[in-house]
Amino acid sequence: DTPRRTAHIVLSKVKSRREMSCILALIGGLLIAGTVYALTQVRCNIGVVLPAVLGAPLFIAGIFYSQIINAATGNNFVFILCILALFIYAVFILSLLVYVFSLCRYLKSCRATNPGKIIILGCSAPRKGISRTLMRRVNRAMELWESYPDATVIASGGFTGASGISEAQLIAKLISEQNPKIKTVLEEKSTSTYENFVYCLELLNQIDTDGQTVFVTSHSHALRANLLAKRVGIDCICSAAFDAPSLAVNNYLREYAALINLLLLNRVD
């Protein structure tokens, strides 16, 4: 019985190691593939790179899982490195969950009841074609305007790409193609979310329209945009458009990193 029991324990450990190895390699591979795909769609940013940064160690750990476990059980230095890596991933996951919870809580609190000014925040152009993110924001703003046709629409975004057209001009073009009745006020100086609100504040002071000020952006961007708007001194709420599913992970990771940057380093760019 004892040899059989020992053989069963050894085989179960081998099996569990193989399963864990496959899981780590699969997760790491998917994260790396996410970065590769995103690079074909948008310009490189931290949200594009971060999945690969997170996935590469997991993929390597999956490939060499048995060797790492054997080394950790016989070498204190390797054991400490493994514990440190687990701690870093745990802190990242917990802080990411806090970000997602805070974002959902904020979006749930936003209720557009009487918009008088609608600010559409632009975004940088993709490698080719029109940004799906921008299209979703424009469509969301048009839905909002159709319910409140007296609202003034502000298209915000400067010259951030190589197309020779500002983000604001592109927003106005997309709107006029779908609904020529909507007239837009252009803000073409900004090159960041913070500047969006700085220059929009000047326009808001010139617009004599009652009602709420509502900014339209993507779900992932809403929380940080709201914090920046408050810093500028704009009392507003958000009406958010869903992120494009294929780039949602990259967008949320980018905004998570940008929010950490804002809260800890006070950087608004």
Side-chain angles (χ1 to χ4, degrees):
D1 291 342
T2 302
R4 287 183 179 180
R5 191 177 304 159
T6 303
H8 177 72
I9 293 173
V10 171
L11 289 173
S12 63
K13 285 185 177 181
V14 171
K15 184 179 179 181
S16 63
R17 284 194 181 189
R18 285 178 179 172
E19 290 174 349
M20 183 58 69
S21 175
C22 291
I23 291 171
L24 290 175
L26 179 61
I27 294 174
L30 289 174
L31 288 171
I32 294 171
T35 289
V36 173
Y37 173 76
L39 284 171
T40 67
Q41 301 297 310
V42 297
R43 285 190 248 167
C44 185
N45 58 59
I46 192 168
V48 171
V49 175
L50 198 52
V53 173
L54 295 169
L58 295 177
F59 184 77
I60 293 171
I63 297 299
F64 300 102
Y65 184 76
S66 293
Q67 293 90 325
I68 292 172
I69 294 299
N70 291 334
T73 54
N75 187 307
N76 288 335
F77 179 72
V78 176
F79 176 76
I80 292 172
L81 285 179
C82 290
I83 295 299
L84 181 60
L86 288 173
F87 175 76
I88 291 172
Y89 274 93
V91 169
F92 169 77
I93 291 171
L94 286 174
S95 60
L96 183 62
L97 289 175
V98 170
Y99 157 68
V100 172
F101 173 78
S102 301
L103 174 62
C104 293
R105 186 177 180 182
Y106 166 67
L107 289 173
K108 189 176 180 180
S109 69
C110 292
R111 292 288 183 272
T113 55
N114 182 32
K117 284 86 65 176
I118 301 172
I119 302 172
I120 307 174
L121 300 182
C123 60
S124 58
R127 290 185 178 273
K128 53 185 178 180
I130 298 175
S131 168
R132 284 174 288 174
T133 297
L134 188 61
M135 279 296 305
R136 286 169 176 265
R137 294 181 186 182
V138 169
N139 290 339
R140 179 70 193 106
M142 291 177 63
E143 291 173 2
L144 190 61
W145 182 88
E146 286 172 0
S147 299
Y148 303 94
D150 293 331
T152 300
V153 177
I154 301 175
S156 178
F159 296 84
T160 59
S163 62
I165 182 174
S166 69
E167 294 172 8
Q169 290 173 0
L170 182 56
I171 291 171
K173 181 175 180 291
L174 292 172
I175 290 175
S176 64
E177 288 175 352
Q178 299 183 63
N179 191 341
K181 295 180 180 179
I182 304 177
K183 304 302 180 183
T184 56
V185 178
L186 302 186
E187 180 287 295
E188 301 180 90
K189 300 178 183 178
S190 59
T191 58
S192 67
T193 303
Y194 180 74
E195 291 183 356
N196 282 141
F197 290 115
V198 168
Y199 294 119
C200 279
L201 181 60
E202 300 175 4
L203 296 176
L204 291 172
N205 292 331
Q206 301 170 16
I207 297 173
D208 185 20
T209 306
D210 294 329
Q212 297 170 305
T213 298
V214 180
F215 69 89
V216 177
T217 188
S218 306
H219 265 243
S220 59
H221 186 225
L223 184 60
R224 183 168 68 93
N226 177 63
L227 293 176
L228 292 172
K230 290 185 182 303
R231 289 199 177 196
V232 172
I234 299 177
D235 183 19
C236 57
I237 63 170
C238 178
S239 181
F242 288 107
D243 291 78
S246 59
L247 294 172
V249 172
N250 302 94
N251 292 344
Y252 280 98
L253 287 176
R254 181 190 64 212
E255 287 303 321
Y256 160 82
L259 187 62
I260 295 294
N261 211 19
L262 173 63
L263 297 176
L264 299 184
L265 302 179
N266 201 33
R267 294 187 59 178
V268 297
D269 52 347

